[in-house]
Amino acid sequence: MTTAQSTDAAEGRTAIVVGTGPAIGRACALALGRDGLAVACLDRDADAAKATADAVRAAGGTAEAYVVDVLDRDAVRSTIADVVQAQGVPDVLVNVVGGSKWALSADEDDATFDSVLAINLRQQWVVAQETLRHMIPAGRGAIVVIASVSGLDGSTRHGSYGAAKAGLISLVKTLAVENGRHGIRVNAVAPGTIDTPARAGTGDDQLVVKVPLGRRGRPEDIGNAAAFLASPLADYITGQTLTVDGGVTVRHSLMDLD
């Protein structure tokens, strides 16, 4: 990054996007970049972080790549400190990291349950904490986490994943209440079925029949929602979960006779 670019980034708004792999995280970074934010692209995969930063720059934005393992608190703290030193206190944090392992609750073992909660809930708590250490003294900030419709309703084989995402939605509400007085807003986006490389070959295409809008979501749908919640347009919105699912969760499964 050139000196001129560094100056521009310091004078403008900045964002941290955690989990900038080639789907939802990249879409969030691109959407924020289009809104004029300088984006710090964090991922445990150096190639993924670099590719996303390159994509933001190719679209006319400003971005840098950082490598971090979000399951390691010390690494998270150090990396966010590096971002602050290079780009200033972030105005926005978007945390996309998550993952699922499907099993009947009666069959799931402790190790799997613990790992699902760690990647979907604990690391969100850690990343938010370490970012708040900088946002609170600055008296500003917007945090957006990627939750799931699985945290809103029950479903088979979603025991640990649904519990983690429900916990994440609860955490969003608590962080919003605690940090509003510091000028910090905290919200969640809850995607439905999204067409991503990670879900390719899983049979998810058959879910389209259950979506009122008649298609699966695109990563850009989530990126745009996250960018909205992070923007000044949402300045009076906090503690909320924006469901982006094509209408799935408003459909009455018992009485709908289609």
Side-chain angles (χ1 to χ4, degrees), residues 32-79:
L32 292 165
R34 285 193 298 271
D35 282 351
L37 283 81
V39 185
C41 303
L42 279 58
D43 203 282
R44 66 179 181 181
D45 183 332
D47 291 337
K50 181 179 182 301
T52 296
D54 289 344
V56 173
R57 287 192 290 265
T62 301
E64 292 296 328
Y66 297 82
V67 179
V68 65
D69 178 359
V70 293
L71 296 178
D72 181 339
R73 178 184 285 274
D74 290 339
V76 171
R77 180 176 297 164
S78 175
T79 302

mmCIF file of all heavy atoms in Angstrom, residues 32-79:
data_model
loop_
_atom_site.group_PDB
_atom_site.id
_atom_site.type_symbol
_atom_site.label_atom_id
_atom_site.label_comp_id
_atom_site.label_asym_id
_atom_site.label_seq_id
_atom_site.Cartn_x
_atom_site.Cartn_y
_atom_site.Cartn_z
ATOM 1 N N LEU A 32 -18.353 -3.647 1.179
ATOM 2 C CA LEU A 32 -17.816 -2.585 2.018
ATOM 3 C C LEU A 32 -16.824 -1.724 1.238
ATOM 4 O O LEU A 32 -16.790 -0.502 1.398
ATOM 5 C CB LEU A 32 -17.159 -3.180 3.259
ATOM 6 C CG LEU A 32 -18.117 -3.834 4.254
ATOM 7 C CD1 LEU A 32 -17.360 -4.692 5.252
ATOM 8 C CD2 LEU A 32 -18.954 -2.791 4.983
ATOM 9 N N GLY A 33 -16.023 -2.380 0.401
ATOM 10 C CA GLY A 33 -15.095 -1.627 -0.437
ATOM 11 C C GLY A 33 -15.814 -0.685 -1.381
ATOM 12 O O GLY A 33 -15.389 0.457 -1.585
ATOM 13 N N ARG A 34 -16.924 -1.161 -1.952
ATOM 14 C CA ARG A 34 -17.711 -0.295 -2.840
ATOM 15 C C ARG A 34 -18.297 0.895 -2.095
ATOM 16 O O ARG A 34 -18.518 1.962 -2.671
ATOM 17 C CB ARG A 34 -18.838 -1.092 -3.505
ATOM 18 C CG ARG A 34 -18.377 -2.009 -4.626
ATOM 19 C CD ARG A 34 -19.560 -2.508 -5.437
ATOM 20 N NE ARG A 34 -20.491 -3.290 -4.647
ATOM 21 C CZ ARG A 34 -20.411 -4.610 -4.479
ATOM 22 N NH1 ARG A 34 -19.424 -5.285 -5.049
ATOM 23 N NH2 ARG A 34 -21.296 -5.253 -3.761
ATOM 24 N N ASP A 35 -18.536 0.715 -0.803
ATOM 25 C CA ASP A 35 -19.062 1.813 0.013
ATOM 26 C C ASP A 35 -17.963 2.787 0.442
ATOM 27 O O ASP A 35 -18.234 3.747 1.174
ATOM 28 C CB ASP A 35 -19.760 1.258 1.258
ATOM 29 C CG ASP A 35 -21.147 0.715 0.939
ATOM 30 O OD1 ASP A 35 -21.624 0.931 -0.194
ATOM 31 O OD2 ASP A 35 -21.746 0.071 1.822
ATOM 32 N N GLY A 36 -16.738 2.515 0.018
ATOM 33 C CA GLY A 36 -15.642 3.438 0.284
ATOM 34 C C GLY A 36 -14.822 3.141 1.516
ATOM 35 O O GLY A 36 -13.953 3.940 1.891
ATOM 36 N N LEU A 37 -15.064 2.012 2.169
ATOM 37 C CA LEU A 37 -14.274 1.659 3.344
ATOM 38 C C LEU A 37 -12.970 0.984 2.923
ATOM 39 O O LEU A 37 -12.939 0.215 1.960
ATOM 40 C CB LEU A 37 -15.052 0.722 4.272
ATOM 41 C CG LEU A 37 -16.132 1.368 5.135
ATOM 42 C CD1 LEU A 37 -17.411 1.583 4.357
ATOM 43 C CD2 LEU A 37 -16.409 0.501 6.372
ATOM 44 N N ALA A 38 -11.913 1.267 3.649
ATOM 45 C CA ALA A 38 -10.673 0.518 3.495
ATOM 46 C C ALA A 38 -10.835 -0.787 4.259
ATOM 47 O O ALA A 38 -11.177 -0.781 5.440
ATOM 48 C CB ALA A 38 -9.497 1.314 4.046
ATOM 49 N N VAL A 39 -10.614 -1.915 3.595
ATOM 50 C CA VAL A 39 -10.973 -3.218 4.153
ATOM 51 C C VAL A 39 -9.728 -4.017 4.538
ATOM 52 O O VAL A 39 -8.825 -4.215 3.715
ATOM 53 C CB VAL A 39 -11.811 -4.033 3.157
ATOM 54 C CG1 VAL A 39 -12.286 -5.330 3.807
ATOM 55 C CG2 VAL A 39 -13.004 -3.221 2.654
ATOM 56 N N ALA A 40 -9.704 -4.478 5.780
ATOM 57 C CA ALA A 40 -8.706 -5.441 6.231
ATOM 58 C C ALA A 40 -9.315 -6.834 6.075
ATOM 59 O O ALA A 40 -10.333 -7.133 6.709
ATOM 60 C CB ALA A 40 -8.322 -5.189 7.679
ATOM 61 N N CYS A 41 -8.728 -7.642 5.220
ATOM 62 C CA CYS A 41 -9.273 -8.964 4.888
ATOM 63 C C CYS A 41 -8.544 -10.021 5.709
ATOM 64 O O CYS A 41 -7.371 -10.304 5.457
ATOM 65 C CB CYS A 41 -9.105 -9.249 3.389
ATOM 66 S SG CYS A 41 -9.868 -7.998 2.328
ATOM 67 N N LEU A 42 -9.235 -10.602 6.682
ATOM 68 C CA LEU A 42 -8.634 -11.581 7.579
ATOM 69 C C LEU A 42 -9.126 -12.977 7.250
ATOM 70 O O LEU A 42 -10.325 -13.194 7.045
ATOM 71 C CB LEU A 42 -8.971 -11.265 9.038
ATOM 72 C CG LEU A 42 -8.145 -10.207 9.758
ATOM 73 C CD1 LEU A 42 -8.202 -8.866 9.064
ATOM 74 C CD2 LEU A 42 -8.585 -10.087 11.217
ATOM 75 N N ASP A 43 -8.185 -13.924 7.227
ATOM 76 C CA ASP A 43 -8.531 -15.322 7.003
ATOM 77 C C ASP A 43 -7.385 -16.187 7.489
ATOM 78 O O ASP A 43 -6.237 -15.733 7.526
ATOM 79 C CB ASP A 43 -8.795 -15.573 5.507
ATOM 80 C CG ASP A 43 -9.675 -16.793 5.274
ATOM 81 O OD1 ASP A 43 -9.161 -17.935 5.360
ATOM 82 O OD2 ASP A 43 -10.882 -16.615 5.034
ATOM 83 N N ARG A 44 -7.685 -17.426 7.842
ATOM 84 C CA ARG A 44 -6.606 -18.336 8.227
ATOM 85 C C ARG A 44 -5.838 -18.817 7.008
ATOM 86 O O ARG A 44 -4.713 -19.303 7.118
ATOM 87 C CB ARG A 44 -7.155 -19.524 9.008
ATOM 88 C CG ARG A 44 -8.052 -20.453 8.208
ATOM 89 C CD ARG A 44 -8.541 -21.621 9.034
ATOM 90 N NE ARG A 44 -9.386 -22.523 8.256
ATOM 91 C CZ ARG A 44 -9.951 -23.615 8.752
ATOM 92 N NH1 ARG A 44 -9.768 -23.928 10.029
ATOM 93 N NH2 ARG A 44 -10.712 -24.382 7.987
ATOM 94 N N ASP A 45 -6.449 -18.702 5.846
ATOM 95 C CA ASP A 45 -5.841 -19.087 4.571
ATOM 96 C C ASP A 45 -5.249 -17.838 3.925
ATOM 97 O O ASP A 45 -5.982 -16.936 3.503
ATOM 98 C CB ASP A 45 -6.903 -19.707 3.668
ATOM 99 C CG ASP A 45 -6.356 -20.204 2.338
ATOM 100 O OD1 ASP A 45 -5.342 -19.649 1.867
ATOM 101 O OD2 ASP A 45 -6.946 -21.131 1.763
ATOM 102 N N ALA A 46 -3.923 -17.773 3.846
ATOM 103 C CA ALA A 46 -3.264 -16.589 3.306
ATOM 104 C C ALA A 46 -3.681 -16.311 1.870
ATOM 105 O O ALA A 46 -3.869 -15.150 1.476
ATOM 106 C CB ALA A 46 -1.747 -16.755 3.389
ATOM 107 N N ASP A 47 -3.844 -17.358 1.078
ATOM 108 C CA ASP A 47 -4.233 -17.173 -0.324
ATOM 109 C C ASP A 47 -5.640 -16.587 -0.432
ATOM 110 O O ASP A 47 -5.910 -15.734 -1.284
ATOM 111 C CB ASP A 47 -4.165 -18.499 -1.080
ATOM 112 C CG ASP A 47 -2.734 -19.002 -1.258
ATOM 113 O OD1 ASP A 47 -1.807 -18.162 -1.202
ATOM 114 O OD2 ASP A 47 -2.556 -20.223 -1.446
ATOM 115 N N ALA A 48 -6.539 -17.052 0.418
ATOM 116 C CA ALA A 48 -7.911 -16.538 0.393
ATOM 117 C C ALA A 48 -7.945 -15.069 0.795
ATOM 118 O O ALA A 48 -8.648 -14.253 0.173
ATOM 119 C CB ALA A 48 -8.805 -17.362 1.315
ATOM 120 N N ALA A 49 -7.209 -14.715 1.835
ATOM 121 C CA ALA A 49 -7.169 -13.322 2.275
ATOM 122 C C ALA A 49 -6.595 -12.427 1.180
ATOM 123 O O ALA A 49 -7.129 -11.346 0.893
ATOM 124 C CB ALA A 49 -6.343 -13.202 3.553
ATOM 125 N N LYS A 50 -5.514 -12.883 0.554
ATOM 126 C CA LYS A 50 -4.886 -12.089 -0.512
ATOM 127 C C LYS A 50 -5.811 -11.955 -1.718
ATOM 128 O O LYS A 50 -5.925 -10.872 -2.310
ATOM 129 C CB LYS A 50 -3.564 -12.726 -0.936
ATOM 130 C CG LYS A 50 -2.830 -11.949 -2.022
ATOM 131 C CD LYS A 50 -1.525 -12.611 -2.397
ATOM 132 C CE LYS A 50 -0.790 -11.780 -3.456
ATOM 133 N NZ LYS A 50 -1.576 -11.601 -4.688
ATOM 134 N N ALA A 51 -6.468 -13.051 -2.093
ATOM 135 C CA ALA A 51 -7.360 -13.011 -3.257
ATOM 136 C C ALA A 51 -8.506 -12.029 -3.033
ATOM 137 O O ALA A 51 -8.913 -11.307 -3.955
ATOM 138 C CB ALA A 51 -7.904 -14.398 -3.555
ATOM 139 N N THR A 52 -9.026 -11.995 -1.819
ATOM 140 C CA THR A 52 -10.114 -11.067 -1.535
ATOM 141 C C THR A 52 -9.614 -9.626 -1.530
ATOM 142 O O THR A 52 -10.269 -8.725 -2.073
ATOM 143 C CB THR A 52 -10.777 -11.406 -0.196
ATOM 144 O OG1 THR A 52 -11.385 -12.701 -0.310
ATOM 145 C CG2 THR A 52 -11.846 -10.393 0.175
ATOM 146 N N ALA A 53 -8.459 -9.388 -0.921
ATOM 147 C CA ALA A 53 -7.894 -8.039 -0.942
ATOM 148 C C ALA A 53 -7.634 -7.590 -2.377
ATOM 149 O O ALA A 53 -7.915 -6.440 -2.740
ATOM 150 C CB ALA A 53 -6.607 -7.993 -0.117
ATOM 151 N N ASP A 54 -7.115 -8.493 -3.195
ATOM 152 C CA ASP A 54 -6.879 -8.176 -4.610
ATOM 153 C C ASP A 54 -8.187 -7.837 -5.318
ATOM 154 O O ASP A 54 -8.245 -6.918 -6.139
ATOM 155 C CB ASP A 54 -6.200 -9.351 -5.315
ATOM 156 C CG ASP A 54 -4.748 -9.542 -4.898
ATOM 157 O OD1 ASP A 54 -4.171 -8.605 -4.301
ATOM 158 O OD2 ASP A 54 -4.191 -10.626 -5.179
ATOM 159 N N ALA A 55 -9.256 -8.593 -4.995
ATOM 160 C CA ALA A 55 -10.557 -8.355 -5.633
ATOM 161 C C ALA A 55 -11.112 -6.983 -5.248
ATOM 162 O O ALA A 55 -11.687 -6.281 -6.091
ATOM 163 C CB ALA A 55 -11.536 -9.453 -5.240
ATOM 164 N N VAL A 56 -10.947 -6.604 -3.984
ATOM 165 C CA VAL A 56 -11.415 -5.283 -3.539
ATOM 166 C C VAL A 56 -10.648 -4.188 -4.267
ATOM 167 O O VAL A 56 -11.234 -3.205 -4.752
ATOM 168 C CB VAL A 56 -11.263 -5.133 -2.014
ATOM 169 C CG1 VAL A 56 -11.582 -3.702 -1.578
ATOM 170 C CG2 VAL A 56 -12.176 -6.121 -1.289
ATOM 171 N N ARG A 57 -9.328 -4.361 -4.378
ATOM 172 C CA ARG A 57 -8.517 -3.353 -5.072
ATOM 173 C C ARG A 57 -8.861 -3.302 -6.557
ATOM 174 O O ARG A 57 -8.916 -2.218 -7.160
ATOM 175 C CB ARG A 57 -7.035 -3.638 -4.861
ATOM 176 C CG ARG A 57 -6.538 -3.321 -3.451
ATOM 177 C CD ARG A 57 -5.031 -3.333 -3.380
ATOM 178 N NE ARG A 57 -4.497 -4.676 -3.515
ATOM 179 C CZ ARG A 57 -4.180 -5.469 -2.500
ATOM 180 N NH1 ARG A 57 -4.353 -5.045 -1.257
ATOM 181 N NH2 ARG A 57 -3.697 -6.675 -2.703
ATOM 182 N N ALA A 58 -9.105 -4.463 -7.156
ATOM 183 C CA ALA A 58 -9.451 -4.506 -8.573
ATOM 184 C C ALA A 58 -10.770 -3.779 -8.845
ATOM 185 O O ALA A 58 -10.981 -3.254 -9.947
ATOM 186 C CB ALA A 58 -9.551 -5.958 -9.044
ATOM 187 N N ALA A 59 -11.636 -3.741 -7.840
ATOM 188 C CA ALA A 59 -12.919 -3.054 -7.978
ATOM 189 C C ALA A 59 -12.814 -1.570 -7.639
ATOM 190 O O ALA A 59 -13.822 -0.861 -7.611
ATOM 191 C CB ALA A 59 -13.962 -3.712 -7.082
ATOM 192 N N GLY A 60 -11.598 -1.114 -7.361
ATOM 193 C CA GLY A 60 -11.377 0.305 -7.093
ATOM 194 C C GLY A 60 -11.270 0.671 -5.634
ATOM 195 O O GLY A 60 -11.170 1.857 -5.300
ATOM 196 N N GLY A 61 -11.276 -0.334 -4.749
ATOM 197 C CA GLY A 61 -11.214 -0.060 -3.324
ATOM 198 C C GLY A 61 -9.816 -0.188 -2.757
ATOM 199 O O GLY A 61 -8.837 -0.402 -3.476
ATOM 200 N N THR A 62 -9.729 -0.051 -1.450
ATOM 201 C CA THR A 62 -8.476 -0.162 -0.715
ATOM 202 C C THR A 62 -8.571 -1.355 0.221
ATOM 203 O O THR A 62 -9.561 -1.490 0.955
ATOM 204 C CB THR A 62 -8.204 1.110 0.111
ATOM 205 O OG1 THR A 62 -8.150 2.236 -0.766
ATOM 206 C CG2 THR A 62 -6.896 0.995 0.881
ATOM 207 N N ALA A 63 -7.572 -2.227 0.203
ATOM 208 C CA ALA A 63 -7.635 -3.424 1.045
ATOM 209 C C ALA A 63 -6.246 -3.967 1.314
ATOM 210 O O ALA A 63 -5.324 -3.791 0.510
ATOM 211 C CB ALA A 63 -8.487 -4.504 0.373
ATOM 212 N N GLU A 64 -6.107 -4.639 2.444
ATOM 213 C CA GLU A 64 -4.896 -5.358 2.811
ATOM 214 C C GLU A 64 -5.287 -6.716 3.380
ATOM 215 O O GLU A 64 -6.380 -6.870 3.943
ATOM 216 C CB GLU A 64 -4.075 -4.584 3.844
ATOM 217 C CG GLU A 64 -3.470 -3.292 3.307
ATOM 218 C CD GLU A 64 -2.450 -3.534 2.214
ATOM 219 O OE1 GLU A 64 -1.760 -4.565 2.253
ATOM 220 O OE2 GLU A 64 -2.351 -2.681 1.304
ATOM 221 N N ALA A 65 -4.405 -7.693 3.223
ATOM 222 C CA ALA A 65 -4.664 -9.056 3.687
ATOM 223 C C ALA A 65 -3.904 -9.342 4.977
ATOM 224 O O ALA A 65 -2.758 -8.902 5.143
ATOM 225 C CB ALA A 65 -4.264 -10.061 2.609
ATOM 226 N N TYR A 66 -4.560 -10.095 5.869
ATOM 227 C CA TYR A 66 -3.948 -10.511 7.128
ATOM 228 C C TYR A 66 -4.305 -11.975 7.368
ATOM 229 O O TYR A 66 -5.422 -12.398 7.057
ATOM 230 C CB TYR A 66 -4.475 -9.682 8.302
ATOM 231 C CG TYR A 66 -4.168 -8.210 8.228
ATOM 232 C CD1 TYR A 66 -4.966 -7.352 7.469
ATOM 233 C CD2 TYR A 66 -3.095 -7.673 8.923
ATOM 234 C CE1 TYR A 66 -4.696 -5.989 7.403
ATOM 235 C CE2 TYR A 66 -2.821 -6.307 8.868
ATOM 236 C CZ TYR A 66 -3.620 -5.474 8.107
ATOM 237 O OH TYR A 66 -3.342 -4.134 8.043
ATOM 238 N N VAL A 67 -3.376 -12.720 7.948
ATOM 239 C CA VAL A 67 -3.610 -14.129 8.258
ATOM 240 C C VAL A 67 -3.819 -14.277 9.756
ATOM 241 O O VAL A 67 -3.033 -13.763 10.559
ATOM 242 C CB VAL A 67 -2.420 -15.002 7.806
ATOM 243 C CG1 VAL A 67 -2.678 -16.471 8.171
ATOM 244 C CG2 VAL A 67 -2.193 -14.865 6.305
ATOM 245 N N VAL A 68 -4.889 -14.980 10.140
ATOM 246 C CA VAL A 68 -5.164 -15.166 11.557
ATOM 247 C C VAL A 68 -5.995 -16.426 11.764
ATOM 248 O O VAL A 68 -6.844 -16.767 10.940
ATOM 249 C CB VAL A 68 -5.916 -13.945 12.146
ATOM 250 C CG1 VAL A 68 -7.295 -13.794 11.522
ATOM 251 C CG2 VAL A 68 -6.024 -14.045 13.661
ATOM 252 N N ASP A 69 -5.729 -17.116 12.864
ATOM 253 C CA ASP A 69 -6.553 -18.239 13.305
ATOM 254 C C ASP A 69 -7.472 -17.714 14.402
ATOM 255 O O ASP A 69 -7.015 -17.382 15.500
ATOM 256 C CB ASP A 69 -5.663 -19.361 13.845
ATOM 257 C CG ASP A 69 -6.458 -20.556 14.372
ATOM 258 O OD1 ASP A 69 -7.713 -20.500 14.341
ATOM 259 O OD2 ASP A 69 -5.826 -21.524 14.827
ATOM 260 N N VAL A 70 -8.763 -17.621 14.109
ATOM 261 C CA VAL A 70 -9.687 -16.997 15.059
ATOM 262 C C VAL A 70 -9.915 -17.851 16.301
ATOM 263 O O VAL A 70 -10.517 -17.377 17.270
ATOM 264 C CB VAL A 70 -11.042 -16.667 14.398
ATOM 265 C CG1 VAL A 70 -10.885 -15.582 13.359
ATOM 266 C CG2 VAL A 70 -11.679 -17.913 13.803
ATOM 267 N N LEU A 71 -9.462 -19.093 16.303
ATOM 268 C CA LEU A 71 -9.569 -19.933 17.491
ATOM 269 C C LEU A 71 -8.431 -19.669 18.477
ATOM 270 O O LEU A 71 -8.405 -20.243 19.571
ATOM 271 C CB LEU A 71 -9.596 -21.407 17.101
ATOM 272 C CG LEU A 71 -10.803 -21.838 16.258
ATOM 273 C CD1 LEU A 71 -10.686 -23.310 15.882
ATOM 274 C CD2 LEU A 71 -12.112 -21.581 16.994
ATOM 275 N N ASP A 72 -7.506 -18.796 18.106
ATOM 276 C CA ASP A 72 -6.355 -18.446 18.932
ATOM 277 C C ASP A 72 -6.504 -16.989 19.366
ATOM 278 O O ASP A 72 -6.292 -16.066 18.590
ATOM 279 C CB ASP A 72 -5.069 -18.640 18.110
ATOM 280 C CG ASP A 72 -3.793 -18.326 18.886
ATOM 281 O OD1 ASP A 72 -3.858 -17.602 19.895
ATOM 282 O OD2 ASP A 72 -2.721 -18.795 18.460
ATOM 283 N N ARG A 73 -6.881 -16.779 20.633
ATOM 284 C CA ARG A 73 -7.144 -15.409 21.097
ATOM 285 C C ARG A 73 -5.921 -14.512 20.938
ATOM 286 O O ARG A 73 -6.050 -13.351 20.527
ATOM 287 C CB ARG A 73 -7.599 -15.404 22.555
ATOM 288 C CG ARG A 73 -7.839 -13.971 23.060
ATOM 289 C CD ARG A 73 -8.208 -13.939 24.531
ATOM 290 N NE ARG A 73 -9.570 -14.360 24.786
ATOM 291 C CZ ARG A 73 -10.619 -13.551 24.725
ATOM 292 N NH1 ARG A 73 -10.471 -12.290 24.364
ATOM 293 N NH2 ARG A 73 -11.820 -14.001 25.017
ATOM 294 N N ASP A 74 -4.741 -15.006 21.282
ATOM 295 C CA ASP A 74 -3.548 -14.176 21.164
ATOM 296 C C ASP A 74 -3.323 -13.738 19.724
ATOM 297 O O ASP A 74 -2.929 -12.594 19.467
ATOM 298 C CB ASP A 74 -2.318 -14.924 21.679
ATOM 299 C CG ASP A 74 -2.328 -15.115 23.192
ATOM 300 O OD1 ASP A 74 -3.051 -14.353 23.882
ATOM 301 O OD2 ASP A 74 -1.618 -16.011 23.685
ATOM 302 N N ALA A 75 -3.579 -14.642 18.780
ATOM 303 C CA ALA A 75 -3.418 -14.297 17.372
ATOM 304 C C ALA A 75 -4.444 -13.255 16.947
ATOM 305 O O ALA A 75 -4.131 -12.323 16.186
ATOM 306 C CB ALA A 75 -3.546 -15.549 16.510
ATOM 307 N N VAL A 76 -5.670 -13.389 17.427
ATOM 308 C CA VAL A 76 -6.707 -12.405 17.119
ATOM 309 C C VAL A 76 -6.318 -11.036 17.660
ATOM 310 O O VAL A 76 -6.393 -10.014 16.959
ATOM 311 C CB VAL A 76 -8.068 -12.846 17.697
ATOM 312 C CG1 VAL A 76 -9.099 -11.728 17.561
ATOM 313 C CG2 VAL A 76 -8.566 -14.102 16.992
ATOM 314 N N ARG A 77 -5.891 -10.997 18.913
ATOM 315 C CA ARG A 77 -5.516 -9.727 19.543
ATOM 316 C C ARG A 77 -4.372 -9.063 18.780
ATOM 317 O O ARG A 77 -4.420 -7.859 18.486
ATOM 318 C CB ARG A 77 -5.106 -9.968 20.989
ATOM 319 C CG ARG A 77 -4.688 -8.708 21.732
ATOM 320 C CD ARG A 77 -4.392 -9.028 23.181
ATOM 321 N NE ARG A 77 -5.576 -9.524 23.857
ATOM 322 C CZ ARG A 77 -5.566 -10.164 25.036
ATOM 323 N NH1 ARG A 77 -4.407 -10.403 25.638
ATOM 324 N NH2 ARG A 77 -6.686 -10.561 25.595
ATOM 325 N N SER A 78 -3.364 -9.853 18.432
ATOM 326 C CA SER A 78 -2.205 -9.314 17.726
ATOM 327 C C SER A 78 -2.574 -8.802 16.339
ATOM 328 O O SER A 78 -2.127 -7.728 15.917
ATOM 329 C CB SER A 78 -1.130 -10.399 17.624
ATOM 330 O OG SER A 78 -0.036 -9.957 16.861
ATOM 331 N N THR A 79 -3.399 -9.565 15.627
ATOM 332 C CA THR A 79 -3.757 -9.181 14.259
ATOM 333 C C THR A 79 -4.604 -7.922 14.249
ATOM 334 O O THR A 79 -4.400 -7.020 13.423
ATOM 335 C CB THR A 79 -4.498 -10.327 13.555
ATOM 336 O OG1 THR A 79 -3.669 -11.492 13.551
ATOM 337 C CG2 THR A 79 -4.833 -9.953 12.117
#
